[in-house]
Amino acid sequence: MSLKGKGAVTGIGETDYMRASPKDAFELQIEASLKAIADAGLSPRDIDGIIPIGITGAPAEAFVTNFGIPDLRFSAITPLGGASGIAALQAAVAAISAGICNHVLIPSGRNVSSGARAGVRIHQMPQFHLVTEFEYPLGAISPAQLYAPMARRHMELYGTTSRQFAEVAIAMREHAILHGNAVMKKPITVEDHQNSRMITDPFRLLDCSLESDGGAALVVSAAERARDMRQPVVEILGVAEGHPDSPSSITQRPDITRLGIAKAAPKAFGMAGVTPEDIQVAEIYDCFTYIVICQLEDMGFCKKGEGGAFVEGGRLRLGGALPTNTHGGLLSQAHMLGMNHIVELVRQLRGQGGRTQVADARLGLATGYGDLGDGALTIMARA
Amino acid sequence: MAAKPEPHETELSRPYWDAARKGVLLIQKCANCGKLRHYPQLVCDRCHSLGVEWVEASGKGEVHSWTVAHHVFHPGFAGEVPYALVTVDLAEGVRALGRLEGMEAGALRLGFPVEAGFHVEENGTPVLRFRPAGTRRNDR
Ligand SMILES: [Zn+2]
């Protein structure tokens, strides 16, 4: 049985994104969830499935308690870091299609000052015990240092340049400013990027995503039920997750320029029955500029090694051939573990994209990337 | 100065760390099919045997990739930035991550020949280091 077209995102909700929110992570999760449920035209008591996202995600029980949910029929967690949100979509559609539940809430929210700082969490997580034992004591402390060698090898093998990384950062910033609900508000140029301080070569400050506070949430329902609900129907045509070779250690990975999404993409595109050329808007996980380039290659938008040239010439900007991260992404809107990418894709396909709306966008995709290379993507369409 | 993080050894990895403190780089070898593996793990991913032997690596290898830390990600390394971490294809067919010494990171390229050695820190942690091949100086 294929999951194609079985599920739809019927509700989306986001808080304001900022640095140093006065609200704690749970309050941000509740605020975004209530918005998403109201957006779907549902009552919180209609929720009968919950998949919390992120290490500061409150357990399903907390939502049951606060919302008075009478009969929670499905709960799960999807531990794929920034790919968790899309992996949760897959789990939600599978559960709904199997008749287990009707409306799955996928809540997320974080307050960096309360301890979920992305840059220091890896060594506390059991799935990274090899990195923690063998690499952390060398001074490999941050995800940036673990991912930078992937980018460096790509540059050495294919001639990819830091100025090409800048193209990604500039597009995200331009979209964040237009979008409005974004942490970063100042335009940047290639020179600004090149002059930003080196963090861990080849990543400069403007290659790195933000640390920010906020919440984002989704409601997933059966596609056939969505037709009678409040919003324009946005169907999930394809969804898949993929795990890289050597998932616990990038150092030991045979090909460090290939991410888990390379395994997921053929499944998701095959399920949806479309090709990369058909995609009109893309929300691509962008914890670092290079990761966008690598995913474009791994999904087949271009060949391995051609991603640097692919992002040149404004291709990712509004008006370009592949408008990408129309909300500004993790680089310039907020680091919401990619949940903001899914919210933005749905908004675009509903035609509710505001000042960053891609004209007549009917088919788009969102990706997630997490931990040491897990990947996921979903292809959605306006019904 | 802030303390550096120390490795938390396990039963599985103890032979590696015991040897490292003596300046020797050990790699796990499947006692059944002979496949070499690193980092230490419980089961051979080829034949699924739990049997383990340890072999001494030659220490010779070639640079697979690298990064140079300029930001102080941990206060224990504040006095060391910038420092380079090199991913090395060991001659035995597995990889290792180590700190670069004895050359400028700017001269690195893919395939650059290096050799391994351990430097034991004041806190007793053996830190794997790679130097240009032929310039080995063991700090044991
Ligand atoms: Zn074996």
Side-chain angles (χ1 to χ4, degrees):
Chain A
M1 186 193 81
S2 165
L3 296 179
K4 178 181 181 179
K6 294 276 169 38
V9 179
T10 51
I12 53 176
E14 284 177 307
T15 67
D16 289 340
Y17 294 130
M18 64 185 73
R19 290 189 167 121
S21 169
K23 299 170 183 172
D24 72 14
F26 183 57
E27 190 175 352
L28 292 163
Q29 291 161 36
I30 290 289
E31 180 181 332
S33 296
L34 288 172
K35 282 185 176 176
I37 293 164
D39 180 72
L42 297 173
S43 154
R45 290 188 182 79
D46 295 326
I47 296 299
D48 57 2
I50 298 179
I51 309 177
I53 300 299
I55 56 168
T56 58
E61 288 81 354
F63 293 89
V64 171
T65 303
N66 282 276
F67 290 167
I69 293 171
D71 186 12
L72 187 74
R73 295 150 163 259
F74 177 73
S75 65
I77 54 167
T78 51
L80 286 79
S84 299
I86 292 171
L89 284 181
Q90 176 177 249
V93 177
I96 291 165
S97 304
I100 297 170
C101 57
N102 295 308
H103 301 292
V104 177
L105 173 68
I106 305 176
S108 74
R110 56 210 300 253
N111 183 315
V112 173
S113 56
S114 72
R117 194 176 166 82
V120 297
R121 69 192 173 93
I122 274 189
H123 72 278
Q124 297 157 338
M125 298 170 68
Q127 63 266 48
F128 300 119
H129 70 100
L130 290 176
V131 170
T132 304
E133 179 169 0
F134 292 95
E135 302 185 354
Y136 195 63
L138 299 170
I141 306 299
S142 163
Q145 292 170 285
L146 303 177
Y147 303 160
M150 308 195 290
R152 171 49 63 191
R153 186 164 173 88
H154 197 278
M155 297 169 93
E156 299 295 315
L157 284 175
Y158 303 117
T160 312
T161 66
S162 175
R163 295 179 81 88
Q164 291 170 333
F165 295 173
E167 293 287 334
V168 176
I170 292 166
M172 307 304 97
R173 184 61 60 88
E174 195 173 288
H175 299 163
I177 293 165
L178 271 175
H179 184 282
N181 182 12
V183 172
M184 303 306 280
K185 302 178 191 306
K186 263 179 56 183
I188 53 171
T189 63
V190 174
E191 283 61 44
D192 292 333
H193 175 277
Q194 294 294 294
N195 292 331
S196 66
R197 77 186 167 93
M198 191 64 85
I199 301 298
T200 187
D201 182 86
F203 293 149
R204 298 180 175 279
L205 183 66
L206 291 182
D207 291 307
C208 302
S209 51
L210 306 168
E211 295 280 11
S212 34
D213 298 347
L218 309 166
V219 176
V220 182
S221 314
E224 57 186 40
R225 193 180 284 254
R227 296 180 214 299
D228 302 322
M229 291 172 66
R230 192 171 156 205
Q231 296 290 349
V233 179
V234 175
E235 285 185 348
I236 299 167
L237 291 188
V239 61
E241 69 181 63
H243 299 259
D245 296 340
S246 184
S248 305
S249 166
I250 293 169
T251 298
Q252 304 300 336
R253 185 167 303 158
D255 182 354
I256 64 171
T257 66
R258 187 179 139 98
L259 304 171
I261 199 169
K263 299 181 187 179
K267 292 178 236 169
F269 278 105
M271 185 188 297
V274 302
T275 67
E277 290 72 45
D278 300 320
I279 299 298
Q280 296 167 302
V281 57
E283 315 297 350
I284 300 180
Y285 198 86
D286 55 330
C287 50
F288 297 93
T289 51
Y290 163 77
I291 296 296
V292 174
I293 290 171
C294 189
Q295 289 174 92
L296 286 165
E297 295 172 348
D298 285 344
M299 288 190 287
F301 282 89
C302 57
K303 292 201 182 85
K304 183 54 67 182
E306 296 178 353
F310 184 87
V311 302
E312 288 182 330
R315 190 190 296 256
L316 305 189
R317 299 191 209 179
L318 282 167
L322 186 68
T324 294
N325 294 0
T326 43
H327 53 331
L330 308 179
L331 287 165
S332 282
Q333 186 193 38
H335 198 316
M336 277 305 121
L337 294 166
M339 286 289 290
N340 48 334
H341 293 56
I342 308 171
V343 167
E344 176 66 11
L345 177 62
V346 173
R347 191 180 279 130
Q348 286 282 332
L349 296 176
R350 286 178 178 178
Q352 300 170 351
R355 282 187 294 170
T356 61
Q357 177 68 48
V358 175
D360 300 320
R362 300 191 69 90
L363 183 75
L365 68 72
T367 78
Y369 165 85
D371 291 349
L372 297 175
D374 293 343
L377 76 160
T378 182
I379 297 162
M380 297 191 199
R382 186 163 68 206
Chain B
M1 202 174 107
K4 289 184 180 181
E6 295 173 27
H8 52 83
E9 303 177 17
T10 64
E11 283 301 317
L12 194 64
S13 64
R14 190 147 294 126
Y16 173 88
W17 291 111
D18 285 344
R21 279 184 280 271
K22 297 172 190 154
V24 175
L25 176 58
L26 286 190
I27 299 171
Q28 272 189 327
K29 179 183 179 183
C30 174
N32 181 51
C33 78
K35 183 178 177 181
L36 293 171
R37 61 187 196 240
H38 198 53
Y39 302 122
Q41 62 192 43
L42 189 62
V43 178
C44 172
D45 73 349
R46 183 158 71 188
C47 76
H48 308 127
S49 166
L50 277 74
V52 169
E53 295 169 0
W54 291 87
V55 295
E56 183 173 348
S58 66
K60 296 189 194 324
E62 296 182 348
V63 170
H64 189 82
S65 195
W66 66 91
T67 184
V68 185
H70 292 257
H71 181 75
V72 178
F73 293 98
H74 185 291
F77 297 89
E80 299 180 14
V81 291
Y83 59 89
L85 294 161
V86 280
T87 308
V88 173
D89 290 305
L90 294 176
E92 288 75 15
V94 300
R95 294 212 193 104
L97 187 75
R99 289 279 291 267
L100 182 71
E101 65 170 354
M103 67 179 289
E104 292 297 319
L108 284 170
R109 53 183 166 75
L110 300 188
F112 189 94
V114 291
E115 58 192 17
F118 280 99
H119 169 78
V120 180
E121 303 261 312
E122 278 173 30
N123 64 7
T125 301
V127 169
L128 186 60
R129 291 181 172 184
F130 287 99
R131 301 175 57 85
T135 65
R136 185 166 184 175
R137 178 200 65 195
N138 209 327
D139 290 332
R140 73 175 77 176

